[in-house]
Amino acid sequence: MPQSIKKSAEERMEKAIQALRRDLATLRAGRATPSLLDRVQVEYYGAMTPLNQLANINTPDSRTLMIQPWDKSSLADIERAIQKSDLGLTPSNDGNAIRLVVPALTEERRTELVKMTKKFGEEAKVAIRNIRRDANDDIKKLEKTDISEDESRRHQDDIQKTTDKFIAEVDKVLAAKEKEIMEV
């Protein structure tokens, strides 16, 4: 039973790392990538819909994103959603497609992106610590009925080691993204 609690906690911590990587992929580091638009939601026939479900997104070159909607009537809605987003990009509409030119990052924007990166990292660390707390609570409940106090302590120590490993992984992912952002 304690093994399944530890395994479940480890799986949930791994999912927190994956969520962090997904969030960091949406931050631009000076080059165009379709994942920059993953968080953009378009109001389409009254429902908020992810942009990638309404259009084909590709990168004709390293600084340009091209968005070709499947339904041409959604072009204005897509353009509006991009302008409302926190991307800081200005869409250019030619009637058939929208082009987004990703400008070179200024030093000020780079430091702002690093702050956002750290915010995402802190959220991931909080999620991992919450998973640790839940697992430790489950172990303590077992202590009352199924396992001894020494076993409980040993399992809690194992959970702490797993937590430390995943916190170090968060730090490693953040350091790589910060290096990518600060690259000129």
Side-chain angles (χ1 to χ4, degrees):
M1 189 74 150
Q3 295 300 350
S4 65
I5 292 170
K6 289 191 290 190
K7 184 170 174 40
S8 171
E10 190 166 343
E11 289 170 357
R12 290 174 57 203
M13 288 179 189
E14 184 61 44
K15 287 179 184 175
I17 297 286
Q18 291 170 359
L20 172 65
R21 285 192 173 115
R22 263 193 321 274
D23 287 343
L24 291 179
T26 64
L27 294 178
R28 66 185 174 105
R31 69 181 81 89
T33 174
S35 64
L36 288 175
L37 301 171
D38 283 351
R39 290 188 293 170
V40 176
Q41 296 280 317
V42 180
E43 187 173 334
Y44 186 65
Y45 291 109
M48 295 308 283
T49 309
L51 176 59
N52 60 7
Q53 292 180 10
L54 298 174
N56 186 25
I57 303 168
N58 54 36
T59 53
D61 61 58
S62 66
R63 295 261 184 220
T64 309
L65 284 169
M66 183 182 289
I67 304 163
Q68 296 171 307
W70 294 305
D71 178 8
K72 300 291 184 216
S73 66
S74 67
L75 210 53
D77 294 331
I78 292 172
E79 190 173 7
R80 202 172 309 112
I82 292 169
Q83 288 172 339
K84 285 183 188 175
S85 71
D86 63 348
L87 293 173
L89 300 175
T90 306
S92 168
N93 183 346
D94 68 5
N96 292 322
I98 294 175
R99 291 183 190 278
L100 294 173
V101 177
V102 178
L105 293 174
T106 64
E107 188 64 30
E108 179 182 308
R109 181 69 177 146
R110 287 178 195 277
T111 55
E112 189 178 312
L113 287 173
V114 167
K115 286 179 187 175
M116 288 177 68
T117 301
K118 289 180 180 179
K119 185 184 107 193
F120 284 137
E122 197 53 45
E123 289 170 359
K125 287 178 183 181
V126 167
I128 289 170
R129 291 181 189 121
N130 287 340
I131 294 166
R132 175 192 62 193
R133 184 196 62 222
D134 294 343
N136 282 341
D137 289 347
D138 291 344
I139 294 289
K140 288 174 186 172
K141 286 177 188 170
L142 285 178
E143 183 183 330
K144 295 176 183 171
T145 57
D146 295 342
I147 61 175
S148 70
E149 195 175 314
D150 288 341
E151 279 182 278
S152 171
R153 190 74 205 137
R154 189 169 46 252
H155 291 303
Q156 288 178 37
D157 289 343
D158 289 346
I159 291 169
Q160 182 60 47
K161 287 177 188 169
T162 303
T163 302
D164 293 342
K165 178 180 88 171
F166 280 99
I167 295 287
E169 178 71 19
V170 167
D171 289 336
K172 191 169 83 173
V173 169
L174 289 178
K177 186 64 177 184
E178 285 178 31
K179 182 179 178 218
E180 179 185 339
I181 288 171
M182 295 310 281
E183 234 172 52
V184 178

